[in-house]
Amino acid sequence: MSDLLRQSWYASLDDAQSHFRQLLSSYSSPEWKRIAIPSDTSTKGKARASTVPELVDVILHRKATKTGESVYRAILDVPAADTSLSLDWWKAVLDTPELRKEWDPAVESTQTIEMLDPTTRVSKVNFTLGWPANPRDAVTVSRTFNDNTTLIYISTSLPRSPDEPAFLRPSPPYVRSEVSLFAWCVQYIGEQSSSPKHGPRLRITCFWQHNLKALWTFNTTASFAQQLCSMMVGLYKCVSQRGARIPQLAGYGNGVSIERMRFEIDREALTLDYSIVPEDEDHAPHTTEQGLDELHAIREYRRLTRSIECVLPVSVGWDIQISTKASSEQVAQLPWTTHVTRSAFGSPGSSPTSSDGDQVVFGVKHSSLPNDHSVLRVRVIIELSGPSGIRLNGIPHPVEKVEERDPLSHYISQQMLQDASSTADMSFNTQSSLGTIAESASRSSTLLERPVLTRQQTERTAAAEKSILSRVKRNYIYFSSLLQEPEAKWRRTTEARGVSIAQLDSIDPTLVVYRAEATFVGLGLWDLYAAIVTPGARAYWDRLYDDSILLEHVNELTELWHFKTKPAWPVTGRDAVVLKTVYKSPSTIHVFAFSADDPNLFANIPSPDPSVIRTQIDLQGWAIEALSPTTTQLTLLEQSDPKGWSNKASIPQQMVTAVAGVGEFAIKCGGPTIVTRLEGAKITQMRYDHDRGNFRVEYETCSSRRSSPVQGNEETTPVSPTSPGLPIIECELRCDLDNWASSLDIVVDPPPHTISCLRRHRLSSGGGGLWMTITHDAVFTGEERLQIIVRRGPMGVPKEKGLVMVNGAKVDVDVEDMPEREVKNLQKQKRVKPVRVPLDQPPVLGVIRRRRAEWNADADTETGDNETSKASTPEAAVPATPTFTTSFNRWMNFAIEQATVTTQQAVAAISPAMAGGADASPSSSKPPMQYALEALSYLQSIHLHPKSDGWTLVSEKDFPVHRKLDAEISPIIPVHRAEKVIEGVSAEEVASVLTSNDCRKQWDTRFDSAHVFEVFGAEAHTEFVVMKGGFPFRDRGFYLASLLARETVPPSPSRRSTGESEQTQDTRAAIYCVSASFSPDSVASFSPSKYNAYSLPVGRVFVDGWILETLDPYGAENYAIPSTKCTRVVAVDYAGSIPAAVNSMINGMLPKSILAVETYVKNLSPPPFTRMPSAGVMLSQANEDSLQFKAWTLKRRDANRVLISTRYNPGDRTYKSSMLLNSSTVLSPRRSAANDKNPKARRMTIIYSQPKSPDDSQREGRSREASVPPLPSPSNASTSPESGRSQSREGTRSSTMFTPRGEVRHPTDVLVSELIVDSKLYPDGYDVHVTSHIDKSKTRISLSSPVGEAAPEHALPFSCAAYTLPPSPLHSAGLNTDRPPRHLLRLTLPTAQYQVSTIQDPLTGEIHSAPAKPQWLLDMEEGRVVLGVEIKPSAPSGRPSKRTTINVDGKAVVVLSEKESLTSLGRDELLDSKASKMDLLSGLSSDSDHFPDEFQVPTAVADDLLDDSALAAPSVPVSETTNTENTAAAQEASTDTGDSVPQVVVSSPETPAADSATSGLLRFLNAYPNPLLRFATQSRRSSSTSTPVLSAEPLPRPPVEEGQAKDVPPVPESQGGQLSLARTAVSHRAYPLSTVVIIALIAFLMGSFLRSLLSPADFIYVVSDRKDLEEMNAGWREVRRLLEVKYIVGGWDFQVAVVRRH
């Protein structure tokens, strides 16, 4: 860049500064007119609850200039008593361009392009203003001044010049606007003001003078005022929220070149790229003033030679990363030093709003370069992290206190200070009274009209212009409303050539509207748009196309066209005169047209030809929507009448031809040349000849369409030859250089004044293709016709690709490069359909409305936050460490710190993460399952608030992984979170894989084994899990409490309460799989030598959870059906000797296991699962504001059945399930409600089912209702909690004896269990084996031994019926609808025949009664049933079978078809997920510590892991609880009986010693025990998983003396009891003899090979000099080799030996 160009930029900025000073000095001029701001009706009459400013607090004025442009001034006064209004924070926000879109509603994005000096920068701003025509952008240069009380920010556009860089050239489709002045003045007004009643306050003043070059705008004075006022209030809120969290570059000196600087808003990180270059002693910084200011700038420039300084707030922590890179290793390794200082006291005379003591200065100084040809590139990343402190490359960095001034407190010029301080005493009457408003309204009555930035009048009258605009607006409203019609109102009629035709379903038969839709892959938005709006391209696909003539270029967006079609016998030729309008947005383009037949508005409409029929087009609209960078959806709406003999039935075929033809043309030929914008002229003729490949456009000068000149006067704005102040004509063209042409030959007549070309990648969001801007001087051209001809380059002449020739001369083309990584990401980006919104309103108003709604919603919370923030000032948040050194020994400490950087990095990398206090280990006072419930509540809060603050992006590979240090979990170990959508599977299928330990071995490489301790039912259990540590670290053990829970989805009010809708809602509910560590003391009765034989170090899992949510198939995302959103949250402390860096690395890799789960579950058929009794608990609906529950309650909704455990082995496809049936409570007669002390607590529902034996399932099963309620017992009348229906059997008069159809209600069999089996998993059929045992002793159940087979005379006669389930709504809506069906297995016991009432035959007098109860039924009434179900594949048969065969205990069972199953059971019963039978878990926010007893007393225990002392203790049978809903009833029952259950207290065994805490790199070796003891142990580590498997064998009961039996009363059946487990011998794995022989042979060969590397050799040292022999007085030494490796390098051998002295 030349010095002349840089000086012109500085001159432009100096002129803007002079203009700003003139505006400051004229603050009291009567030329400033007040603009009335429309008040918000929603807040009218409400009291101000806080001091947060609102839109009505902004005072807006306008002042007209000599050129006719206006300067706007906005003023806002806010109280400055709060220390949060620091001027440094205001400067940080204003100097960060990336934050402008946060507070300016008219800005889309902003970026820094170049740093001219520490206070001056060049930025590019993209505005949302200008849509639906063309958006605007601006390239500005800004400068900042500040002292203790005043901050001034000035920005203006850069002037155009012939040698301008590429970023100053036009960037279509953006139109370059001119910012004459955009300045801010923030002043602290203290008690010295003339109006002390206001107190200290901060006055924010903004001057806005912007020429948008807008010919088409929908803005009004009210909307423009709202934009400026929203910008003022938005800046204040942005400073309040982000001011104390922004790092900023304070300065740099000679030898430093700033290359790139950007601030990432989401990470809150500042990235600074700069280069260290040879010093230029002749270069001096640019200054606007002379004297002390210039001397100060030169001194700072020299002080910071090869250095940079950044200012960081100390109220938060910062993580700084510094990396260097150079062409040579010598330059890259040049040393650099850093220092972090903080002022001991604030600057003298600092204001209350100054934050000198609340900021630290971070500086980096580099050493000199070795020569003048070397360049060192440096990258500094300053990222927000943690509560406080500064870390440099992962190492804490101390902060020094110095008595120096803040480098940001630059001197401000005295003249500027006087001009700014002159407005301090000015009163702008912020509290507007009625008189002031009336005066303002009367004084600015002309301001209520449309602003200057509007479309100027043409040759038409105002009434004609208004009529045209109203017609366009009315038709666009109709067009956009049709686009937003729901899919249910469209009836599909035809589908051909990839185009789908639908007709609007209207009650009006005369209203015929068709819609054509098609999706094109590989096409961009602009290519399709060019193919549509180019009339000549229609000849490519339409044979009847004749001609298209442009009649009039009405305005920038609207054109009048005359289309003609050829006659084709017997159809007559037709024509149409339409008014076409184009509305554009970044992702959507709307092109709509309608017939124009009013000659009063359009005088050039041709008269109808008698031989041609004129078609009436009510609406013809195209909607082009970008679904992704490579996919575009095209929609055509048409409502027309062809007239004549042709009816409307031919319209669909024409629409198919048009849509398919447009897509085919764009794919094969690309997008032809189009005119995207024309300024200062109007088009007279436009032609495109596809065969010749040329595009011709003619236009002429039109002064009424010329944009307003740039404001300013001759004294302040220099006029250059290309200055926009002169009238110019700009024509913007777009062409596809990838497909339409490889090179262009352009003819421009007359020759253009300037021409610029910009080529973007075809996937660029700004619009791919070649964009050309051709400029003419309007004065020079006069009334001459202008013509542009664009032709394809000659095909035969070999020319370079992308060449552009204009009038025979080559034109430079600027190319916007796109990184290859970004191109791949855009190509893989998924399709997202944009929201269909009207494009006729600029997006600024929508942003203003949305932000005002957010501000109103946060008004109440901000009031409380302000009160809290006053108590916790940034000064109180300053950490006590690291300590600050004094200035005396600062330099010595600084040198020592820089010398020990490498050592500190090594120590920090190998130091383990130590947690102290309550986080060191879990407390034994809490039950184990309480830790799982606390982790569950944390997962619920993450699921309800996924985008909460504090999450930092760790990795973006594959899918994003975020990290957060949450004090609720651990202050040391951060929480890692990742989420990904797994397509093609449901949440239930993923949950079945996650809860199976055998499946986990397949996808989790770190999982080793698991030993279950206790089971509490419904998959809730405690276990000891071993995770692999990886070399050189040992494996780790974890005491985990695991739980499976499901959310409750509220019923949708818009859907009918049907079985399908309820089942769909159940599948969409989120499923939580959560685990958390508990205290080892809670399982002290188990022997550690049995489950932790190797004494592995014990870690802690703070939270390890999965959130599985089946996505809505009707959502906006384009995922497969079904799809599951998987979120994994992990926070694990591996403890022991694992360093903190390795611990963090493992935690960061654990969320990546979602990929392994996805790969595994897609290659696996869904395993079987037990539907009843259900696995997991149901979560009650909780308030989102209170999810951190302290107390819990559990309601047993199915007390008759308890699921103990399930296990699925993917190797042999065997599924085992064990469950408990409380048959004594199901079959025993109940007492009447009158005699019950707590009738509500003791009522239960007996659930029966139809007897479905293989013999009578076909005969009787179809004629009965399977969902019939149970027949009540004759002795009581109770109410079912599920159905609420009476079950009294006191007489035949009761209505409950009959069904709703009037039939007699029959007793039903006891339904034991329901299982779901996917037949796809067993293509050859499967065998079902049911084992059971009646437990009368009611002692504890063991998990270690299999279910014992009962004697044949005591075997239970289970009956199994198999049904075919209809496809679920999730799978039926997907693509794999032909998948094999799923089966429902129902296990029942034939008890209905023994419950028949005694009936006397009135004819014969015979008495019919129920048969005598068999022995197995009597035993069931006295005990409980423990049963196990095993499903395994059948042996493959040679004969193919269409139907899956099922064998239940050796007997074949017929599977009913889907139709037969629906007839027998009904759809509701088949699709019922039994969610209503799941236990209901509710959280309480009260201060009580209530915890469910069901999670404290285990259902089953692993006896094989118990200590010998615990096994030797006698097991006392405890009664069974029939009521789990009310725990008080059980306590009352035990009190009445007077029995006391003895408690067995077992001394806890010695726990293994913890790892040594001694320092050292090889500290992990200390964790190993004595080797002799290690190999002498008798227990062998097993890698198999100790999964709970059902056992019902009664344990040998201890002998009871007769006297003791008399004293102990029988245990009643109404009491609850604990179930325990039996101990069995551990089966050792045996190896075959062949395996042992092969291993021995391999060991022998390996030993021989190692022995061959060693060779015997003796070494004798020969003395050649007698002096050496005389010096050897100590004797001789003997060396014995231990290891030798030959020929390592250069003929040298490597030996390890021991030396013995003689």
Side-chain angles (χ1 to χ4, degrees), residues 1408-1627:
H1408 300 276
S1409 60
K1413 295 184 178 179
Q1415 184 62 35
W1416 61 266
L1417 185 58
L1418 297 177
D1419 294 341
M1420 286 181 58
E1421 293 178 351
E1422 297 178 2
R1424 58 185 179 178
V1425 179
V1426 183
L1427 71 151
V1429 180
E1430 181 181 3
I1431 301 175
K1432 57 183 179 181
S1434 301
S1437 60
R1439 294 176 299 175
S1441 177
K1442 296 182 179 180
R1443 305 187 66 175
T1444 305
T1445 59
I1446 301 178
N1447 297 320
V1448 179
D1449 293 333
K1451 299 180 180 179
V1453 175
V1454 179
V1455 181
L1456 299 184
S1457 63
E1458 181 179 346
K1459 183 177 180 181
E1460 295 172 343
S1461 302
L1462 292 174
T1463 305
S1464 177
L1465 289 182
R1467 179 177 294 272
D1468 294 345
E1469 182 67 20
L1470 288 174
L1471 295 179
D1472 187 10
S1473 62
K1474 303 300 180 182
S1476 60
K1477 297 295 183 180
M1478 298 179 67
D1479 299 338
L1480 185 63
L1481 181 65
S1482 304
L1484 304 178
S1485 301
S1486 59
D1487 297 335
S1488 63
D1489 54 352
H1490 180 269
F1491 194 73
D1493 295 337
E1494 291 81 1
F1495 284 155
Q1496 299 188 39
V1497 180
T1499 305
V1501 182
D1503 283 351
D1504 60 328
L1505 301 179
L1506 286 174
D1507 195 25
D1508 295 338
S1509 59
L1511 288 174
S1515 59
V1516 180
V1518 188
S1519 62
E1520 180 180 344
T1521 302
T1522 60
N1523 171 36
T1524 58
E1525 183 177 348
N1526 192 347
T1527 57
Q1531 297 175 1
E1532 180 182 355
S1534 61
T1535 305
D1536 296 339
T1537 57
D1539 299 336
S1540 61
V1541 180
Q1543 300 292 334
V1544 180
V1545 180
V1546 183
S1547 60
S1548 61
E1550 295 182 2
T1551 58
D1555 293 348
S1556 175
T1558 58
S1559 60
L1561 180 61
L1562 300 178
R1563 64 163 63 88
F1564 63 89
L1565 297 176
N1566 299 333
Y1568 288 98
N1570 192 338
L1572 298 179
L1573 298 179
R1574 176 186 178 189
F1575 292 102
T1577 180
Q1578 297 297 329
S1579 59
R1580 180 176 58 89
R1581 182 180 176 184
S1582 175
S1583 61
S1584 62
T1585 305
S1586 178
T1587 308
V1589 182
L1590 177 62
S1591 171
E1593 292 182 355
L1595 297 178
R1597 304 180 61 181
V1600 183
E1601 299 179 0
E1602 296 181 0
Q1604 183 180 359
K1606 295 179 180 180
D1607 297 336
V1608 179
V1611 181
E1613 295 178 359
S1614 60
Q1615 297 183 12
Q1618 178 181 3
L1619 309 175
S1620 106
L1621 308 173
R1623 181 184 180 187
T1624 59
V1626 181
S1627 60

Side-chain angles (χ1 to χ4, degrees), residues 621-893:
W622 299 79
I624 316 170
E625 299 167 317
L627 306 182
S628 70
T630 59
T631 308
T632 306
Q633 179 175 339
L634 185 61
T635 304
L636 173 60
L637 295 175
E638 183 159 348
Q639 178 183 351
S640 61
D641 186 3
K643 303 290 185 179
W645 288 44
S646 299
N647 54 16
K648 299 181 180 180
S650 61
I651 296 179
Q653 184 59 36
Q654 297 176 4
M655 296 176 66
V656 170
T657 305
V659 174
V662 167
E664 183 181 354
F665 176 83
I667 291 174
K668 293 184 177 180
C669 306
T673 306
I674 55 173
V675 178
T676 57
R677 185 178 65 90
L678 183 62
E679 178 185 344
K682 64 178 181 179
I683 301 176
T684 58
Q685 185 180 4
M686 185 162 53
R687 290 281 183 176
Y688 172 71
D689 191 346
H690 177 69
D691 296 333
R692 298 181 179 180
N694 59 11
F695 172 80
R696 179 192 305 267
V697 58
E698 297 180 2
Y699 53 96
E700 59 184 14
T701 305
C702 182
S703 59
S704 61
R705 301 188 182 184
R706 191 175 303 151
S707 62
S708 303
V710 176
Q711 61 175 5
N713 47 46
E714 297 178 358
E715 290 80 4
T716 60
T717 304
V719 177
S720 62
T722 59
S723 173
L726 297 176
I728 60 173
I729 301 174
E730 279 189 358
C731 182
E732 185 180 282
L733 305 176
R734 190 264 178 192
C735 182
D736 182 12
L737 273 188
D738 294 324
N739 298 323
W740 189 74
S742 58
S743 60
L744 298 180
D745 186 7
I746 305 175
V747 176
V748 182
D749 182 30
H753 188 267
T754 59
I755 182 171
S756 64
C757 299
L758 175 64
R759 185 177 182 181
R760 292 194 184 96
H761 194 275
R762 63 183 183 89
L763 301 180
S764 176
S765 59
L770 177 68
W771 298 81
M772 297 172 288
T773 304
I774 301 174
T775 306
H776 287 86
D777 190 350
V779 178
F780 177 76
T781 57
E783 301 297 333
E784 185 179 359
R785 175 187 59 86
L786 293 90
Q787 181 180 4
I788 299 176
I789 302 176
V790 181
R791 297 175 296 189
R792 296 193 185 101
M795 303 299 294
V797 181
K799 291 186 178 181
E800 56 180 314
K801 190 175 182 179
L803 178 65
V804 178
M805 304 286 293
V806 177
N807 292 343
K810 180 181 178 181
V811 178
D812 295 333
V813 179
D814 299 328
V815 180
E816 283 190 5
D817 295 330
M818 182 176 292
E820 188 68 23
R821 180 180 179 183
E822 185 177 354
V823 173
K824 293 182 179 179
N825 293 336
L826 292 176
Q827 291 176 348
K828 297 179 181 179
Q829 185 174 339
K830 294 187 177 181
R831 305 175 187 177
V832 177
K833 190 172 184 179
V835 181
R836 286 179 170 175
V837 296
L839 305 181
D840 57 347
Q841 293 291 334
V844 181
L845 299 179
V847 175
I848 294 175
R849 287 191 293 266
R850 184 170 62 253
R851 291 186 179 179
R852 291 183 65 177
E854 295 175 357
W855 296 341
N856 294 335
D858 298 340
D860 298 335
T861 58
E862 288 180 359
T863 304
D865 295 341
N866 293 336
E867 296 176 358
T868 307
S869 61
K870 293 179 181 179
S872 57
T873 59
E875 188 67 28
V878 177
T881 58
T883 59
F884 300 98
T885 59
T886 60
S887 58
F888 179 77
N889 58 354
R890 177 186 51 170
W891 301 108
M892 180 173 294
N893 291 339

